[in-house]
Amino acid sequence: MTSQAKIELNQLTKVFFKRNESVEAIKNISLTIDEGEFVCLLGPSGCGKTTLLRILAGLETPSTGNFQINQENADNPLQSMVFQERGVIPWMTVKDNVAFGLRMRHLPTRVIKERTAYYLKKVGLENFANLYPKELSGGMKQRVSIARAFANDPEILLMDEPFAALDEQNKFILQEELLNIWQETKKTVLFITHSIDEAMLLSDRILLMSAQPGQIIKEKKINLPRPRTMEDVRSNEEMAKEFVDIWQHLQTEVQGSRTQ
Amino acid sequence: MEKQRLTEYAVQVEKEEFKKRQRKAKFKQLLTISSPILVLMLWELLSRTALIDPRFFPPPTKILATLYQMGLSGEIFTHIEISLLRIFAGFLLGVIPAIIVGLLMGMYSPIRHFFSPLVMAFMPIPTLAMLPIILIIFGIGEFSKMVTIAISVFFPVVINTAAGVINIDNIYIDVAKNYGANAKDFFFKIALPGSLPVMLEGIQMGQAIALLTIVAAEMIGANSGIGYVIWMNYKAFLLPQMYVGLVLISFFGYLFSLIIRGLQSKLIPWK
């Protein structure tokens, strides 16, 4: 794998200003994510990780600093986001939801059909193509969201705690499914989570974030061989140590923000 | 063996419970049907026995007979036809601009800020109070009646449509933005379908208001239509004939709500 910079963040800062109050959501974040890397941003709620992701997703502008996503194929969109569970559009069928990004790019109908069918099959929803989201379980909705992002074939994928609302069993299943699809495409992924287990299972690298102002306080490489399963992570002694180490870091952060 | 019997017993208990629930549901259905029948029977009885003055409150059977006679002569149908035409044309004349303005108000806050004082200022004025002005501008022909209905329908629809767009969950707007929707796609794929449920509530309201308005307008300034039938027969003291007009209004009001409710389940299958 060539280590080529895919995403470069340069001293990103975002301040939210309201009347006479200002809150520094993220402060001075610089980092580089390599091509094909799966990176998890791990931190307590309110640490600004969602803000960072929303900036990369083009939904928020940074106050200062800049970022760059290096484009390889000019036809591909720069990024697509896998939203939280509510992000599946209720008035579109499963099929139309998956095809949404392709439609917005006005690709030829044949291409849209082909790619939609391919990813519907990938996430095992080909028999549910014509249902509306209200008829789906939470896990199935997230499969729609994942298929929608992958079908769009973006340069990078952004994921905003996509499994946070799922029960634990479904979460494990979807995490492994996500890894399977990802392994096939080897897209660069920036994934947000507050679950240490999830981060260790998915990522090549974990970035630990501090709370308010959000800064990256520590970086951890996860060298577990792929393909991985939850059992691998749980049974690996080194990972157990890593877990404790990460937990201790986060704990001091959460405690610190509480006493502030 | 013991276990088997226990299960059977449990099923038996639940079966009884289920039957009880069904009986209750049936009873409630019966209540719904019985109230109008009861009122009609009471009315018939009181009127026949002259406990209430049959000159003012003719028995329902007599009203029905009068309806039949008016139907035979064919005269009533011309009145129904003209009223329905006014309602239908006026309704479209009001609903279509209301949906467009409402969507634009919901989507673009400058447009919303510009239009909302106008909407707020005109909404409280009863359309009938504007009838003289409408007559001056549009003359006394059919078109002025359609305009009257259009104006009265416009307000509930425009307000509900704008509210429908504003209440679309922000996350869908983020999704559209993230996946690169342009203004046109956003309008047709997000704003229009997303606001449809609330918009249809407004249309349902507008439909009721349209009926109110047409009857009142026909009472004041027309020589045809259901409202005219009510008013003329009242003046001529032909009360059974007047009641026929009221029955017709009630019938069409109910019919229109049923149609719009049917439309609702067709247009928003995802709800």
Side-chain angles (χ1 to χ4, degrees):
Chain A
M1 202 167 67
T2 51
S3 284
Q4 197 186 350
K6 188 73 184 173
I7 315 172
E8 287 168 286
L9 278 64
N10 191 12
Q11 298 188 304
L12 274 189
T13 298
K14 177 74 184 178
V15 178
F16 288 106
F17 186 79
K18 231 184 204 174
R19 301 241 164 182
N20 297 319
E21 245 179 286
S22 65
V23 178
E24 245 178 338
I26 55 170
K27 188 179 182 181
N28 219 359
I29 292 185
S30 295
L31 70 104
T32 307
I33 295 171
D34 289 339
E35 169 84 58
E37 205 178 5
F38 200 126
V39 174
C40 277
L41 261 176
L42 177 62
S45 3
C47 74
K49 53 193 195 300
T50 298
T51 306
L52 181 59
L53 201 74
R54 286 176 64 84
I55 289 173
L56 291 176
L59 300 173
E60 207 91 66
T61 49
S63 305
T64 57
N66 54 53
F67 69 94
Q68 198 187 338
I69 300 166
N70 294 321
Q71 198 162 27
E72 209 170 276
N73 185 343
D75 291 336
N76 289 353
L78 275 184
Q79 43 77 24
S80 295
M81 180 127 136
V82 178
F83 287 83
Q84 292 175 356
E85 195 181 312
R86 293 179 303 120
V88 177
I89 299 172
W91 50 86
M92 294 180 191
T93 58
V94 167
K95 197 172 62 186
D96 289 336
N97 261 294
V98 174
F100 185 68
L102 305 169
R103 289 240 168 86
M104 292 305 104
R105 285 159 59 201
H106 300 277
L107 295 182
T109 320
R110 191 183 49 81
V111 176
I112 295 177
K113 255 195 181 153
E114 241 173 54
R115 272 207 229 161
T116 305
Y118 180 78
Y119 280 99
L120 274 176
K121 193 150 182 245
K122 266 261 123 69
V123 297
L125 288 177
E126 68 267 49
N127 291 330
F128 302 91
N130 293 316
L131 295 188
Y132 285 98
K134 69 165 180 189
E135 296 159 283
L136 303 182
S137 68
M140 283 154 95
K141 277 186 209 163
Q142 268 334 75
R143 287 190 177 93
V144 174
S145 210
I146 290 168
R148 176 171 66 190
F150 274 97
N152 208 24
D153 196 21
E155 293 283 331
I156 67 163
L157 285 159
L158 304 169
M159 307 197 183
D160 181 15
E161 305 201 45
F163 308 136
L166 301 180
D167 62 74
E168 194 156 62
Q169 289 79 19
N170 262 305
K171 201 183 281 188
F172 290 160
I173 292 169
L174 264 119
Q175 284 162 346
E176 286 181 13
E177 282 185 16
L178 172 66
L179 282 181
N180 281 335
I181 303 175
W182 173 74
Q183 229 121 26
E184 187 179 290
T185 56
K186 280 285 174 194
K187 294 266 178 214
T188 311
V189 178
L190 184 59
F191 188 107
I192 277 183
T193 182
H194 58 247
S195 154
I196 304 174
D197 275 327
E198 185 166 73
M200 291 202 303
L201 170 67
L202 298 175
S203 28
D204 295 318
R205 186 151 57 113
I206 300 176
L207 304 171
L208 291 181
M209 269 185 95
S210 66
Q212 257 192 48
Q215 282 172 305
I216 290 162
I217 47 168
K218 200 171 171 65
E219 215 185 279
K220 274 194 180 292
K221 287 249 183 214
I222 302 294
N223 289 320
L224 215 59
R226 293 179 189 274
R228 300 174 188 162
T229 63
M230 202 30 117
E231 291 94 320
D232 296 339
V233 178
R234 283 283 162 96
S235 60
N236 189 309
E237 256 176 62
E238 208 175 310
M239 287 297 117
K241 274 186 208 142
E242 290 285 14
F243 184 99
V244 174
D245 190 43
I246 292 172
W247 168 234
Q248 277 165 351
H249 266 92
L250 290 181
Q251 203 177 22
T252 43
E253 273 312 313
V254 178
Q255 300 283 17
S257 69
R258 263 175 58 188
T259 50
Q260 244 174 31
Chain B
M1 218 43 207
E2 190 64 16
K3 260 184 189 167
Q4 179 76 25
R5 281 234 308 277
L6 215 62
T7 320
E8 268 170 36
Y9 181 64
V11 169
Q12 199 58 38
V13 168
E14 286 306 316
K15 219 181 202 169
E16 286 303 314
E17 201 52 41
F18 177 72
K19 274 184 191 158
K20 217 185 264 175
R21 271 195 308 249
Q22 268 195 326
R23 271 201 298 274
K24 260 189 191 159
K26 272 220 179 98
F27 178 66
K28 278 178 204 157
Q29 263 180 344
L30 207 71
L31 278 181
T32 312
I33 305 167
S34 64
S35 70
I37 293 177
L38 206 71
V39 169
L40 285 174
M41 273 165 53
L42 196 69
W43 181 359
E44 182 83 28
L45 192 79
L46 293 177
S47 180
R48 291 258 176 228
T49 54
L51 281 172
I52 52 173
D53 195 329
R55 285 173 305 170
F56 300 123
F57 305 100
T61 46
K62 192 171 175 195
I63 296 170
L64 263 172
T66 314
L67 173 66
Y68 182 68
Q69 276 164 15
M70 287 167 93
L72 275 188
S73 74
E75 169 213 356
I76 194 71
F77 291 114
T78 52
H79 289 296
I80 292 173
E81 207 182 303
I82 194 85
S83 280
L84 289 184
L85 182 73
R86 284 166 185 162
I87 290 172
F88 196 65
F91 189 69
L92 288 183
L93 206 64
V95 164
I96 292 168
I99 289 174
I100 295 168
V101 174
L103 284 174
L104 291 174
M105 279 174 73
M107 279 170 67
Y108 303 108
S109 66
I111 296 182
R112 176 161 70 250
H113 283 99
F114 182 78
F115 274 108
S116 64
L118 297 179
V119 171
M120 291 307 161
F122 278 100
M123 190 180 57
I125 305 176
T127 324
L128 289 172
M130 292 200 280
L131 198 58
I133 302 164
I134 294 170
L135 289 175
I136 289 170
I137 301 174
F138 297 101
I140 50 165
E142 284 306 297
F143 191 63
S144 64
K145 275 142 207 128
M146 292 169 192
V147 170
T148 312
I149 292 175
I151 293 173
S152 63
V153 169
F154 180 82
F155 290 103
V157 177
V158 85
I159 287 171
N160 272 48
T161 306
V165 179
I166 292 165
N167 287 331
I168 293 176
D169 197 328
N170 268 329
I171 198 165
Y172 309 133
I173 293 161
D174 282 347
V175 171
K177 211 170 161 189
N178 186 255
Y179 283 86
N182 61 27
K184 187 182 142 234
D185 284 329
F186 184 77
F187 189 92
F188 285 108
K189 297 263 153 73
I190 305 291
L192 185 62
S195 63
L196 212 51
V198 185
M199 186 201 298
L200 282 172
E201 297 289 327
I203 289 177
Q204 181 76 275
M205 253 195 297
Q207 168 273 123
I209 293 175
L211 264 179
L212 293 179
T213 310
I214 189 60
V215 172
E218 284 172 347
M219 280 175 152
I220 299 170
N223 44 26
S224 59
I226 300 174
Y228 171 79
V229 168
I230 295 171
W231 191 242
M232 278 328 282
N233 286 314
Y234 165 68
K235 279 191 159 176
F237 209 65
L238 298 166
L239 290 198
Q241 279 83 343
M242 182 196 82
Y243 276 105
V244 165
L246 295 180
V247 168
L248 286 174
I249 291 297
S250 156
F251 168 75
F252 282 113
Y254 190 54
L255 183 71
F256 292 157
S257 342
L258 282 187
I259 291 173
I260 289 177
R261 199 146 333 137
L263 214 64
Q264 251 162 347
S265 56
K266 265 263 149 39
L267 285 176
I268 34 182
W270 48 274
K271 262 278 167 180

